[in-house]
Amino acid sequence: MSEEKKSLNFLEQIIEEDLAADLQRDKLRFRFPPEPNGYLHIGHAASICLNFGLGITYNAPVNLRFDDTNPAKEEQEYVDAIKKDIQWLGFQWANELYSSDYFEQLYLWAVQLIKQGKAYVDDQSSEAIARQKGTPTEAGVNSPYRHRSVEENLALFEQMKNGDFEEGSHILRAKIDMTSPNMHMRDPIMYRVLNKSHHRTGNTWSIYPMYDWTHGESDYIEQISHSICTLEFKSHRQLYDWYLDQVCSKKDLRPKQREFARRNLSYTVMSKRKLLQLVEEGYVNGWDDPRMPTISGLRRRGYTPESIRKFSEVAGISKRDNVTDVALLEFCIKDDLNKTAPRVMAVLNPIKVIITNYPEGKEEFIDASYNDYSEGFGSRQVPFSRELFIEREDFREEANKKFFRLKLNGEVRLKNAYIIKATHVVKDDKGEVLEIHCTYDKDSLSGSGTEESQRKVKGTLHWVSKPHAVKVEVRLYDRLFIDEAPDSHKEKDFKEFINPNSLKFNNNVYVEPSLTSAQIGDRFQFQRLGYFNVDDDSRPEHLVFNQTVPLRDSWAKIDQKSENKQADDSTINEILALAGKYLKSREDNERLPLIATVFELSRKVEINSLLSLIQSGNSNKEYLAYLMILNSQKLVVDFSNTKYFEPIDKFIGHALQMNNSYVRFQAVDFVGKNLNFKGNHIELLKEMSTEDKNTHIIERLKQF
């Protein structure tokens, strides 16, 4: 039981405490209350998953209530979009309700407060009222209209309701305490005049209730047990309770407001007002633009409901405002699509390959699995011919030993097919390569089972057959902003940080013919490139694919330029000075104590800064970096540092093959403690367990 309690978030603990007190379980009711003045975004997804998740956990109803109290900004379009988003995420509400359903009751309660001397009509200007409210450190001043008679207030409020006054000329205020330390308690506005048509009630009303007045009373009408709000409403809780005090009866359940921190995401903005600016000013192509953090934008980009629910679960519920790294969201979709998306071949930047010893006019169809690592995906027939397309980046005329793709006189395997060897190239007048001429090994067909076909080559490339290739459009999406917190700069407009390369169109992409049957919304992994889905604009004669997320994190290098870099550089310089030039060649009695000190200092350094040492070309720095990374406490591989998984995984592969046995042992030990990495290096680990000359390494391998 104690373990169960520890796993509860703080809101669930509150509910459990209420149940343990006097709240009956069948009285639990929750609600999700969006204002229909824009599309929902990833921050709202956290609230959706929280409220509907509580409903599932406690088998309690969850209402969808639209807080539609401002006809100037609300539209039916937004109502429809919100309902679609919630259902797409996999949730269903118990009742679809609207605050406008309660306008009559809210009005009658307001009249009741006037009769009790707890509300009055004020016809000062908004500027005068703001001045009288005071400041957080100075008490407010009573309105000159605060002591109007009940009869006069009732008459004025009736005139407000009948539309006899212009907008902004009169408001109804609660009479509470102008000296309260809580600014929200200083005679807050309950009603204002708005001569605008409402999307549901039309022109029935000329006055509309404020959110604070509507919120708690709507919860009370619906008998919501726990009204869960974001943290900015914590200071409103006292007013929420005061309003309830005026209408609650002892026989009914009294709602309880509690708050959690809203979800903020790096490299984006979460304000609906600012998102609307992006839409209206043409920076994006609508609310569902795949660069937008809206649920509809993420859906169009190829995100799955499962990935967003997982993101909400892993990011957790907090009492304090924080910013969640967008890399976590990207990891969640990669993790989901890695398990669910078929793997196919596409070439984004094509260059032609001619296999000179492959018979002209011949074609063959190769059986290729949609997923080599998991069952249940099935397979398809991929055509192979004399002329192919490969990625231009996958070929170099000359390259060093670390380039494992195609180069002149070098061999690579074509995925699911043959081993080819580049023999020469054809260039244009400017010296640009137009064609790569190769030969193929006819006995090397992948999976043929012959001994010759199983010979190893280090590189494997994706490709498509030129005569069978289907030309498609690909839209490459990147983060909309180049700044981690674009709306945090007080003296700059957040739009100054818009990424000019957030969308690139590529109309010269070739995909394998199996994709001709792809439908809108279908998701795929383009092998070695990333995850893509079929866009809403797609047509059978013109397929359009959106890049959901690349396989590699192109922002990793940019992260090195963070504000922590100077501190990292200082610590690294301290480490290098301490270690000297030849740490690895020192005697153990001198070297090992130094390494211990280095490890302690390295805990202050970000992983990216350590990784950059490996690229320095200095063998001593490289050696130090390997040791520090392998022993860093920051490499607890969980969702909080997923942006480092790929570079660390690559790094581990190098470390396992280094000549230095101490580094090899540290790498083996690291894999043993972080088995997430084991699968990617299993063949090498098996080979080491029988062939490595270091007995300590062999013994460590036996342990896992």
Side-chain angles (χ1 to χ4, degrees):
M1 183 64 70
S2 60
E3 289 182 2
E4 262 185 53
K5 288 185 178 179
K6 286 181 182 178
S7 68
L8 300 177
N9 63 50
F10 75 95
L11 292 170
E12 291 168 330
Q13 289 174 356
I14 290 171
I15 294 169
E16 291 294 332
E17 290 168 1
D18 291 340
L19 291 173
D22 57 357
L23 179 63
Q24 297 176 19
R25 199 176 188 87
D26 62 359
K27 295 292 186 182
L28 286 176
R29 283 180 177 78
F30 307 100
R31 87 287 176 269
F32 174 63
E35 183 182 356
N37 63 349
Y39 281 56
L40 299 182
H41 54 60
I42 190 67
H44 296 110
S47 182
I48 294 170
C49 292
L50 172 60
N51 283 288
F52 283 94
L54 289 171
I56 293 169
T57 298
Y58 292 100
N59 193 27
V62 183
N63 290 343
L64 169 61
R65 182 178 75 233
F66 291 96
D67 280 332
D68 54 344
T69 61
N70 187 358
K73 295 183 178 180
E74 297 159 357
E75 299 178 17
Q76 185 63 39
E77 173 193 350
Y78 299 140
V79 171
D80 296 339
I82 289 168
K83 290 162 63 176
K84 180 180 179 180
D85 287 345
I86 295 171
Q87 290 176 321
W88 178 76
L89 282 172
F91 301 111
Q92 185 57 51
W93 49 90
N95 303 287
E96 180 181 328
L97 303 168
Y98 297 80
S99 292
S100 54
D101 295 337
Y102 314 133
F103 279 176
E104 183 65 32
Q105 179 62 74
L106 291 168
Y107 171 76
L108 293 175
W109 276 333
V111 170
Q112 178 182 312
L113 261 64
I114 294 173
K115 290 179 178 179
Q116 294 172 347
K118 296 179 179 179
Y120 63 96
V121 174
D122 195 331
D123 47 296
Q124 297 180 95
S125 68
S126 57
E127 292 79 12
I129 292 173
R131 286 194 300 270
Q132 290 167 2
K133 270 212 161 186
T135 69
T137 57
E138 297 178 0
V141 178
N142 287 343
S143 165
Y145 301 104
R146 198 173 195 266
H147 299 294
R148 273 176 163 156
S149 68
V150 168
E151 291 73 23
E152 186 179 5
N153 281 319
L154 287 172
L156 287 169
F157 192 47
E158 181 70 15
Q159 287 180 279
M160 287 172 62
K161 178 178 179 290
N162 294 338
D164 295 341
F165 298 127
E166 294 181 0
E167 289 185 9
S169 61
H170 292 72
I171 57 172
L172 181 71
R173 299 176 69 177
K175 189 187 293 185
I176 306 179
D177 182 3
M178 289 300 291
T179 66
S180 171
N182 186 338
M183 296 283 287
H184 299 295
M185 301 297 287
R186 297 181 186 179
D187 292 8
I189 300 172
M190 294 175 65
Y191 276 91
R192 75 284 204 200
V193 176
L194 279 178
N195 295 312
K196 290 182 171 58
S197 179
H198 189 278
H199 70 100
R200 293 187 75 244
T201 61
N203 295 310
T204 303
W205 294 89
S206 294
I207 54 171
Y208 290 93
M210 300 298 290
Y211 178 81
D212 279 331
W213 169 238
T214 310
H215 178 204
E217 315 319 88
S218 298
D219 287 341
Y220 176 62
I221 292 170
E222 296 174 19
Q223 288 292 275
I224 300 301
S225 62
H226 295 82
S227 178
I228 299 171
C229 307
T230 45
L231 204 58
E232 65 264 33
F233 290 100
K234 187 170 184 176
S235 60
H236 296 242
R237 193 200 295 181
Q238 187 180 0
L239 179 57
Y240 179 94
D241 288 332
W242 189 89
Y243 280 143
L244 286 178
D245 288 341
Q246 315 312 312
V247 302
C248 279
S249 68
K250 292 183 178 179
K251 65 182 179 66
D252 293 322
L253 180 144
R254 181 189 175 99
K256 173 186 286 189
Q257 176 181 305
R258 291 297 180 265
E259 307 82 19
F260 72 103
R262 67 188 302 168
R263 176 85 68 243
N264 294 305
L265 198 65
S266 64
Y267 292 99
T268 190
V269 294
M270 304 295 275
S271 159
K272 278 196 282 187
R273 177 180 59 82
K274 291 178 180 177
L275 293 175
L276 180 61
Q277 272 186 267
L278 294 174
V279 173
E280 292 183 336
E281 296 175 24
Y283 290 98
V284 295
N285 300 313
W287 286 96
D288 67 343
D289 188 301
R291 293 166 291 179
M292 290 279 274
T294 56
I295 296 174
S296 57
L298 292 168
R299 177 170 61 241
R300 186 169 180 181
R301 186 157 173 171
Y303 276 75
T304 62
E306 294 79 9
S307 67
I308 295 176
R309 294 201 303 267
K310 185 66 175 179
F311 169 71
S312 296
E313 174 191 340
V314 172
I317 301 301
S318 173
K319 292 183 179 181
R320 297 180 180 179
D321 283 329
N322 56 76
V323 177
T324 303
D325 195 329
V326 70
L328 175 57
L329 178 62
E330 292 167 350
F331 177 86
C332 288
I333 185 59
K334 282 184 187 179
D335 186 57
D336 186 44
L337 293 179
N338 182 51
K339 302 169 187 173
T340 59
R343 290 152 165 77
V344 296
M345 292 191 289
V347 178
L348 300 188
N349 187 15
I351 186 171
K352 187 163 71 171
V353 169
I354 298 177
I355 304 175
T356 55
N357 63 336
Y358 193 89
E360 291 191 36
K362 179 183 177 180
E363 64 178 27
E364 58 184 301
F365 289 85
I366 298 169
D367 187 64
S369 172
Y370 278 117
N371 190 325
D372 294 335
Y373 308 101
S374 182
E375 296 180 357
F377 280 81
S379 62
R380 78 284 190 198
Q381 294 291 301
V382 178
F384 187 87
S385 66
R386 176 185 172 90
E387 295 188 359
L388 314 170
F389 288 126
I390 66 169
E391 297 287 350
R392 185 173 291 275
E393 293 79 7
D394 283 342
F395 173 75
R396 291 182 191 170
E397 290 184 77
E398 296 180 4
N400 59 34
K401 293 180 180 179
K402 293 184 178 181
F403 185 76
F404 298 129
R405 287 167 279 175
L406 187 61
K407 54 191 172 186
L408 283 180
N409 300 311
E411 289 186 321
V412 294
R413 178 177 290 282
L414 298 174
K415 178 69 176 173
N416 300 309
Y418 298 97
I419 294 173
I420 61 171
K421 181 177 182 179
T423 57
H424 64 283
V425 297
V426 175
K427 299 182 179 181
D428 62 13
D429 295 339
K430 297 179 181 178
E432 182 176 353
V433 176
L434 299 177
E435 297 176 356
I436 307 165
H437 287 212
C438 299
T439 58
Y440 86 115
D441 181 347
K442 66 178 180 179
D443 295 321
S444 65
L445 182 63
S446 179
S448 64
T450 65
E451 185 176 343
E452 181 69 16
S453 70
Q454 300 309 312
R455 66 187 179 88
K456 299 290 178 71
V457 290
K458 289 189 175 180
T460 300
L461 306 184
H462 61 278
W463 54 276
V464 293
S465 168
K466 182 177 179 295
H468 306 88
V470 178
K471 197 171 186 179
V472 301
E473 177 185 336
V474 165
R475 297 172 184 175
L476 298 169
Y477 291 100
D478 202 347
R479 297 174 187 176
L480 186 55
F481 294 94
I482 58 175
D483 188 87
E484 191 170 1
D487 54 354
S488 66
H489 306 273
K490 293 182 180 180
E491 297 179 0
K492 291 186 177 182
D493 188 325
F494 75 101
K495 297 190 294 294
E496 291 182 34
F497 300 100
I498 288 178
N499 180 4
N501 298 312
S502 62
L503 171 58
K504 294 180 180 178
F505 294 93
N506 188 344
N507 293 295
N508 192 38
V509 176
Y510 292 94
V511 300
E512 63 177 71
S514 69
L515 288 173
T516 55
S517 60
Q519 302 296 308
I520 290 174
D522 286 352
R523 305 175 184 92
F524 302 92
Q525 183 195 104
F526 286 0
Q527 291 185 349
R528 300 177 64 236
L529 299 173
Y531 294 99
F532 294 76
N533 78 306
V534 185
D535 184 69
D536 295 357
D537 291 339
S538 194
R539 299 291 178 267
E541 67 278 6
H542 181 70
L543 292 173
V544 179
F545 290 88
N546 295 327
Q547 178 181 263
T548 306
V549 64
L551 290 179
R552 295 185 181 88
D553 183 7
S554 61
W555 288 80
K557 292 181 180 179
I558 296 174
D559 287 344
Q560 295 175 22
K561 298 178 181 178
S562 68
E563 55 190 45
N564 295 325
K565 190 173 186 304
Q566 287 185 343
D568 284 359
D569 289 346
S570 175
T571 304
I572 287 173
N573 288 335
E574 183 180 353
I575 289 170
L576 294 175
L578 179 69
K581 293 183 178 180
Y582 304 108
L583 175 64
K584 61 184 178 181
S585 63
R586 295 186 187 185
E587 296 296 328
D588 282 355
N589 62 348
E590 185 182 5
R591 179 168 56 88
L592 296 179
L594 281 174
I595 287 176
T597 306
V598 166
F599 289 165
E600 189 64 32
L601 287 169
S602 69
R603 292 174 185 172
K604 303 177 183 178
V605 182
E606 291 296 322
I607 300 300
N608 275 336
S609 296
L610 295 176
L611 285 170
S612 67
L613 282 184
I614 297 172
Q615 311 299 326
S616 67
N618 182 304
S619 62
N620 191 52
K621 289 182 180 180
E622 181 179 0
Y623 171 77
L624 280 169
Y626 275 98
L627 293 182
M628 288 190 289
I629 293 172
L630 291 168
N631 286 272
S632 173
Q633 290 188 344
K634 295 185 179 182
L635 284 187
V636 177
V637 182
D638 57 18
F639 287 100
S640 66
N641 64 3
T642 52
K643 65 180 179 179
Y644 301 125
F645 186 93
E646 287 183 11
I648 295 299
D649 186 55
K650 182 179 179 181
F651 155 82
I652 291 298
H654 288 307
L656 288 170
Q657 299 176 73
M658 284 188 73
N659 291 329
N660 188 289
S661 61
Y662 188 74
V663 172
R664 287 206 314 281
F665 176 81
Q666 294 296 326
V668 167
D669 188 59
F670 174 82
V671 174
K673 294 174 182 175
N674 300 274
L675 293 176
N676 314 57
F677 293 97
K678 182 179 177 182
N680 292 352
H681 307 289
I682 188 66
E683 295 303 323
L684 179 57
L685 291 168
K686 286 179 180 178
E687 185 178 317
M688 291 176 69
S689 67
T690 58
E691 297 182 7
D692 200 290
K693 295 178 181 179
N694 188 296
T695 56
H696 295 292
I697 291 175
I698 293 175
E699 288 301 315
R700 183 68 184 96
L701 284 165
K702 287 179 181 178
Q703 295 175 22
F704 65 91

